[in-house]
Amino acid sequence: KTSGNIIRCRAAVAWTTNAPLSIEEVEVDPPKAGEVRVKIIASGICGTDNHTLEGKMKTPFPVILGHEGAGVVESIGPGVTTVKPGDKVLMFPLPECRECFYCLYPKGNFCEKENILSPTGLMLDGTSRFTCRGKKIYNIMGTSTFTEYTVVHEIAVAKIEAAAPMDTVCIMSCAVPTGFGAVFNTAQVTPGSSCVVFGLGGIGSAIVMACKASGACRIIGVDINEEKFPRARALGVTDCLNPNKLMKPVHEVVKEMTGVGVDFAFEAIGLIETMVAALKSCNRSYGVCVIMGVAPTGSQLSFDPLVLLPGRTLKSSVLGGYKTRDDIPKLVTDYVQKKINIDPLITHRLPFPKINEGFRLLREGKCIRCVLSM
Ligand code: APR
Ligand code: ZN
């Protein structure tokens, strides 16, 4: 019986930035009120995990990273009603409390319960559920999935259907809704439109798939790693650009290719310069630019406001604007019923102990998504 007891299990601990993760035995406390302890089955490695490890995103260390997980509920704390032991679940980096202003309002999804913009690395009661070698270990965005067991808030976990393949739908915790929602909810890409996608990694590839599904007739893909191009073309990119090989700024090339600039531009890298390039790539009268990349902590986005004046729109969203607990399980069902396909996003699979190899694949640009199985 594990319920009510501390669980000892393996986890990948990031003791400091810019060091390999260390597979350690950790103690995972039982869930407190409103919390759920989950046995992780599979977890994707996201660009944000790598940014955090590289110290570009401020969050407390030592930390257990990972926020793209699928698992099975092991036990629940007092008051938990929406999931029970044995349920297959996804856990999300953005909660949905169903009580705050934003959760009750039909539009938007940015729940007030957890401030993911300035992470504490702790549960909402200000304490941690992880210990390793006698030291407190922090969590990431209330999730932490690079561990055999984790504790999450009930407001950040949702039951998914039993038929869902966990080692695939885990990427529906972040990459898939982020990319799909950027297109379907935030930009609302229209049939026959032109699009540009900056960054052809996990998020960018999901954006490309959704642009194609929306009927975009031209999808320009921008990346400095040309190894990303063949797969991007297979997903729907019609033209590939490597900014390092162009004679002029990439937004000027996009403008020439399309006459006036694209209808919809997406940034899925997380750099200020590519955010500005994406904005300038969309047509000046009604172009919409959606920034999905997360810039380093403390950076400032600056551009001449005259870029916006003629009518451009600059937008962003977290998790694609989906209300996590309400909407994402429906995406899982769509996948199980073969209404959407996310398989091409997963290019590599590794057993959990090889997690550092997964990070290396991501850093070297060899993978779109690498999924770890526990
Ligand atoms: N210009 C063009 N492409 C670039 C540049 C650049 N200056 N720098 C990096 N890239 C490309 C990489 O070659 C890679 O293909 O951007 C892509 C980023 O993809 P991933 O590393 O797979 O990251 P992903 O998980 O897609 O996340 C992208 O979204 O959620 C945020 O924090 C995340 O900011 C990150 C972004
Ligand atoms: Zn809320």
Side-chain angles (χ1 to χ4, degrees):
K1 178 179 167 292
T2 51
S3 166
N5 295 321
I6 290 173
I7 291 180
R8 284 188 180 75
C9 67
R10 288 180 308 173
V13 177
W15 291 104
T16 63
T17 54
N18 294 304
L21 302 176
S22 158
I23 303 284
E24 306 266 1
E25 186 181 86
V26 298
E27 286 101 53
V28 183
D29 290 346
K32 292 190 183 175
E35 298 175 357
V36 179
R37 190 160 60 182
V38 180
K39 182 179 199 307
I40 303 287
I41 305 293
S43 178
I45 305 176
C46 177
T48 311
D49 294 313
N50 187 45
H51 288 181
T52 308
L53 193 55
E54 290 178 342
K56 292 176 189 157
M57 241 102 93
K58 280 275 164 300
T59 193
F61 277 70
V63 59
I64 296 175
L65 297 171
H67 59 275
E68 213 171 57
V72 175
V73 175
E74 175 269 338
S75 61
I76 55 175
V80 171
T81 57
T82 58
V83 294
K84 59 180 189 309
D87 282 353
K88 278 188 173 181
V89 292
L90 290 184
M91 58 227 87
F92 310 112
L94 179 70
E96 180 193 340
C97 74
R98 295 177 175 157
E99 288 171 354
C100 76
F101 172 84
Y102 296 110
C103 284
L104 295 174
Y105 197 72
K107 284 188 194 177
N109 68 342
F110 206 82
C111 177
E112 281 181 337
K113 277 290 157 67
E114 191 159 20
N115 190 356
I116 66 165
L117 301 179
S118 52
T120 61
L122 297 168
M123 303 303 283
L124 290 171
D125 71 354
T127 62
S128 159
R129 301 290 165 272
F130 297 117
T131 318
C132 180
R133 301 172 188 247
K135 280 207 172 118
K136 173 165 87 176
I137 307 296
Y138 291 93
N139 71 23
I140 186 84
M141 295 185 269
T143 44
S144 290
T145 59
F146 297 154
T147 169
E148 290 173 314
Y149 287 87
T150 193
V151 177
V152 292
H153 299 110
E154 180 184 21
I155 59 173
V157 9
K159 184 178 177 176
I160 56 171
E161 62 177 270
M166 304 299 264
D167 60 358
T168 298
V169 300
C170 61
I171 66 167
M172 289 195 155
S173 289
C174 176
V176 171
T178 300
F180 283 20
V183 173
F184 299 139
N185 304 330
T186 314
Q188 302 188 341
V189 169
T190 46
S193 60
S194 56
C195 302
V196 64
V197 182
F198 284 76
L200 299 172
I203 309 288
S205 298
I207 290 173
V208 167
M209 292 171 86
C211 288
K212 185 171 164 82
S214 299
C217 66
R218 191 154 195 198
I219 306 171
I220 301 168
V222 179
D223 205 298
I224 51 173
N225 179 357
E226 296 191 12
E227 284 177 41
K228 300 283 167 109
F229 292 168
R231 182 171 295 272
R233 283 206 176 87
L235 294 180
V237 164
T238 54
D239 312 76
C240 292
L241 295 177
N242 177 352
N244 290 342
K245 293 210 176 146
L246 301 173
M247 292 298 141
K248 38 179 112 168
V250 60
H251 70 269
E252 285 180 22
V253 175
V254 172
K255 191 179 171 196
E256 279 170 14
M257 289 167 74
T258 52
V260 290
V262 292
D263 299 308
F264 301 98
F266 298 90
E267 201 275 357
I269 301 166
L271 296 173
I272 297 299
E273 59 174 26
T274 45
M275 292 175 184
V276 175
L279 177 62
K280 291 180 176 172
S281 295
C282 64
N283 82 64
R284 64 185 185 183
S285 177
Y286 54 86
V288 175
C289 174
V290 179
I291 289 175
M292 300 309 284
V294 182
T297 303
S299 46
Q300 300 278 311
L301 178 63
S302 80
F303 52 87
D304 184 340
L306 288 179
V307 173
L308 284 182
L309 185 91
R312 287 188 177 96
T313 303
L314 181 59
K315 309 183 77 174
S316 191
S317 58
V318 172
L319 269 287
Y322 288 110
K323 291 204 195 295
T324 48
R325 288 198 288 163
D326 286 353
D327 298 335
I328 295 178
K330 292 180 198 155
L331 285 180
V332 173
T333 300
D334 285 348
Y335 172 75
V336 170
Q337 296 178 352
K338 300 198 184 317
K339 289 180 190 157
I340 55 173
N341 184 19
I342 61 171
D343 298 347
L345 296 172
I346 299 172
T347 53
H348 293 74
R349 296 181 180 280
L350 288 172
F352 173 55
K354 295 203 166 164
I355 186 166
N356 286 307
E357 196 177 323
F359 271 85
R360 185 178 57 77
L361 288 167
L362 178 70
R363 262 181 238 124
E364 294 178 358
K366 303 283 185 226
C367 65
I368 299 298
R369 264 296 185 272
C370 176
V371 168
L372 304 168
S373 288
M374 298 296 151

